[in-house]
Amino acid sequence: MSALLTATCAVPAAGAVLTAALPAGTTGPRRRTTKVVALGVSAVTLALAATAVARFDPDGARYQLTESYSWIRSFGITFSLGVDGIGAVLALLTAVLVPIVMLASWHDADPAPGQDGPTSLPARGKEGAGVAAPDGTFENRRRTQGYFALILAVEAMVIVSFYATDVFLFYVFFEAMLIPMYFLIGGFGDKAGGSESARQRSYAAVKFLLYNLLGGLVMLAAVIGLYVIAQDQGFGTFDLRTLTTAIADGQLVLSGTAEKALFLGFFFAFAVKAPLWPLHTWLPNAMGESTAGTAVLITAVVDKVGTFAMLRFCIGLFPDASKTFAPAILVLSVIGIIYGALLAIGQKDIKRLVAYASISHFGFIIMGIFALTSQGQSGATLYMVNHGISTAAWMLVAGFLISRRGSRLIADYGGVQKVAPVLAGTFLIGGLATLSLPGLAPFVSEFLVLVGTFTRYPAIGIVATFGIVLAALYALLLYQRTMTGPVKAGVHGMPDLKARELAVVAPLVALTILLGVYPKPLTDIVNPSVDATLSQVHETDPAPAHPVAATSGGEHK
């Protein structure tokens, strides 16, 4: 039994502990050591995740590189890992993005200028006077270690979620990742929010936590209900492969009412995390008040666990309920597509614009999943990867822009392309990818999602296409208002991208172009898993409305 998947999960977890335990200090060399160690751990994790993808055989068993270790034997709970094509590419996406986020966030946890080095405690001021904590305090001395340790902790928990083949194991890490994300949002949030920044960060972090905890509690009830029903029928286990096989073979029977209730319990938690309209309202606050790196972790990494789980758990465990609720979910998805795009157009804050754009994109992903066609689900899986890459590029360049000007407001920018042409150019590429320009990665996935949806639900597919038009509006208007026109006063002297920032953006731009012109390596990996998912709901692609005439005999295919 290979331990590759366990190692891929354990390395960032151990790295988080190591990073947090490094000697505290306020000097530049000590902070640099912390960052280099964390970056090295993320590089090792990337190598392991890439090895798992390289060793995955698309023509082999659905779950490969499987591992299982007894955990809570009395309840049939195991630490079971296994990778299918969808989980493999999403774990690799996570491993690719984390070192990029670390490089982009290299100075996000540094002390404020003028506080670099140990200082003595100031005299106690009046309550509420806003006296800044000195860099010599424990909080500031541990700040860098805490920030990078939390990023590694998120990475470990997300990768376990993509590899888990035990329902209870998945649930534990699905919920546990909320803790480091809460501290990343509330403790290391954006500094460009003005005098109310700290209060807004706290509000955003609490809202994020409460929404997702509520979803998790509902899911917990469904997980327990599933176990009770399975145990009554002789399947006292949380093993996903055992449960899905028993359901498919008719050995484990869920009544119609029970299956629908359990499906809704799982789906509610995943829809909150995804986020699907109308359960999306935590996302703009969380992304707006986070650092750019944390915002990327939210939308490009953590939120993908929700859409991935819809494929693996909702459809795998509850196939009949998935077909029953698919039309309603598609309606919610298309509302999210249009709603998110319209609100993005009206935003005055750059980060909140990207957040609402992501809500629109997640609508496309969920629509592709529940169209229940091979094109739709392949497109949805590719969309998870491509959205992660393109939105990471767009958000991180936006973060570089905001860090230079000290403002998130679109109105404070203008003429940036004249003083920082490379920054403006990369920002444009991120925006064009967001609107799914042909030749860039998101176009392929969005096209497949729309085709897959239209073949089964043409009305939904037609309405969803308006989201493409609206995406062009918010992406191009943002570029026009910030990058073109006369150079505004606060933009004069703005430096262009530096070497570290170019190292962040270059791989994202390269992947956006590469996967836009040659997505075959990804589709070859994910398509067998998509076919297996469709077989669980006993669905096949709809026949063409106008069959192609056969070459002889007047017959039709």
Side-chain angles (χ1 to χ4, degrees):
M1 181 172 59
S2 170
L4 176 60
L5 300 187
T6 297
T8 309
C9 303
V11 165
V17 175
L18 174 62
T19 302
L22 287 173
T26 59
T27 60
R30 286 193 175 183
R31 291 199 304 272
R32 192 176 304 112
T33 298
T34 297
K35 299 170 186 177
V36 170
V37 169
L39 185 62
V41 170
S42 69
V44 174
T45 306
L46 172 57
L48 292 170
T51 302
V53 172
R55 292 175 60 178
F56 180 81
D57 179 9
D59 297 323
R62 179 174 183 182
Y63 293 103
Q64 301 177 27
L65 306 175
T66 55
E67 308 171 34
S68 184
Y69 309 95
S70 180
W71 185 12
I72 307 175
R73 187 170 301 173
S74 58
F75 290 99
I77 299 173
T78 59
F79 188 90
S80 297
L81 305 177
V83 62
D84 65 355
I86 300 170
V89 297
L90 291 177
L92 181 60
L93 171 69
T94 301
V96 167
L97 289 180
V98 165
I100 291 174
V101 165
M102 286 185 177
L103 276 176
S105 308
W106 204 249
H107 299 297
D108 285 355
D110 288 351
Q115 292 185 338
D116 193 12
T119 62
S120 59
L121 289 173
R124 185 184 300 271
K126 293 183 179 180
E127 183 178 357
V131 179
D135 192 53
T137 63
F138 178 80
E139 178 184 358
N140 282 328
R141 286 188 290 113
R142 304 298 311 181
R143 185 173 176 84
T144 302
Q145 287 91 337
Y147 183 72
F148 286 90
L150 289 169
I151 292 176
L152 288 173
V154 171
E155 180 180 28
M157 294 174 184
V158 169
I159 291 176
V160 172
S161 298
F162 289 139
Y163 289 164
T165 56
D166 183 278
V167 178
F168 189 82
L169 175 67
F170 171 84
Y171 171 77
V172 169
F173 285 91
F174 180 81
E175 288 294 277
M177 68 181 71
L178 302 179
I179 299 171
M181 286 307 308
Y182 168 80
F183 287 108
L184 282 171
I185 297 168
F188 301 90
D190 184 63
K191 305 298 189 298
S195 59
E196 293 294 313
S197 179
R199 183 177 299 175
Q200 291 299 323
R201 289 199 304 271
S202 177
Y203 171 78
V206 171
K207 188 173 184 180
F208 163 83
L209 187 64
L210 291 179
Y211 267 63
N212 284 276
L213 279 178
L214 175 61
L217 289 174
V218 174
M219 181 182 171
L220 177 60
V223 168
I224 295 172
L226 176 64
Y227 176 79
V228 170
I229 294 174
Q231 187 182 42
D232 287 345
Q233 300 183 40
F235 295 94
T237 180
F238 285 96
D239 184 72
L240 177 65
R241 290 167 292 177
T242 301
L243 293 173
T244 53
T245 301
I247 290 171
D249 294 343
Q251 298 173 345
L252 175 56
V253 179
L254 301 176
S255 68
T257 302
E259 182 177 355
K260 291 174 185 176
L262 294 175
F263 171 88
L264 290 175
F266 276 75
F267 180 78
F268 180 80
F270 304 151
V272 171
K273 187 157 285 186
L276 174 66
W277 184 91
L279 305 173
H280 67 282
T281 59
W282 62 267
L283 183 66
N285 297 98
M287 289 184 65
E289 300 303 327
S290 299
T291 63
T294 301
V296 169
L297 287 179
I298 294 170
T299 190
V301 175
V302 172
D303 288 354
K304 297 300 187 298
V305 178
T307 48
F308 162 79
M310 291 178 187
L311 277 167
R312 175 168 284 189
F313 296 97
C314 285
I315 293 178
L317 292 170
F318 316 110
D320 292 336
S322 296
K323 290 191 286 187
T324 299
F325 289 107
I329 294 170
L330 289 174
V331 170
L332 295 179
S333 300
V334 80
I335 291 174
I337 291 169
I338 304 301
Y339 171 89
L342 287 173
L343 264 67
I345 292 172
Q347 291 304 303
K348 300 178 180 179
D349 182 307
I350 296 174
K351 286 187 176 180
R352 290 179 70 90
L353 186 152
V354 178
Y356 279 108
S358 290
I359 291 170
S360 182
H361 292 310
F362 275 103
F364 278 107
I365 294 171
I366 298 171
M367 184 176 73
I369 292 172
F370 284 95
L372 300 179
T373 61
S374 60
Q375 301 99 325
Q377 292 193 350
S378 292
T381 303
L382 288 179
Y383 215 134
M384 294 184 219
V385 177
N386 295 335
H387 171 264
I389 294 169
S390 62
T391 299
W394 206 27
M395 174 58 83
L396 291 177
V397 176
F400 297 150
L401 179 69
I402 292 168
S403 67
R404 286 159 164 75
R405 178 68 174 82
S407 172
R408 304 198 311 249
L409 297 178
I410 297 172
D412 289 340
Y413 296 88
V416 173
Q417 66 181 11
K418 298 177 182 177
V419 296
V422 178
L423 187 155
T426 53
F427 192 70
L428 177 62
I429 293 173
L432 293 176
T434 297
L435 62 85
S436 298
L437 183 76
L440 300 179
F443 169 77
V444 179
S445 45
E446 195 162 283
F447 178 78
L448 286 172
V449 165
L450 289 171
V451 169
T453 303
F454 185 83
T455 57
R456 195 179 294 278
Y457 301 97
I460 294 291
I462 291 171
V463 175
T465 56
F466 287 99
I468 302 175
V469 179
L470 296 175
L473 280 175
Y474 65 67
L476 296 178
L477 284 174
L478 176 62
Y479 183 84
Q480 179 189 44
R481 292 167 179 171
T482 56
M483 302 295 164
T484 65
V487 180
K488 291 202 172 182
V491 175
H492 281 291
M494 178 180 289
D496 213 335
L497 294 183
K498 300 174 183 177
R500 174 181 59 83
E501 295 165 333
L502 286 171
V504 168
V505 176
L508 296 173
V509 171
L511 287 171
T512 299
I513 296 172
L514 176 63
L515 295 177
V517 298
Y518 191 63
K520 188 175 183 296
L522 284 184
T523 57
D524 286 347
I525 295 174
V526 304
N527 282 344
S529 296
V530 167
D531 292 339
T533 301
L534 284 176
S535 69
Q536 290 176 310
V537 291
H538 308 291
E539 287 285 2
T540 57
D541 291 332
H546 302 286
V548 179
T551 56
S552 63
E555 296 177 355
H556 291 79
K557 292 184 179 179

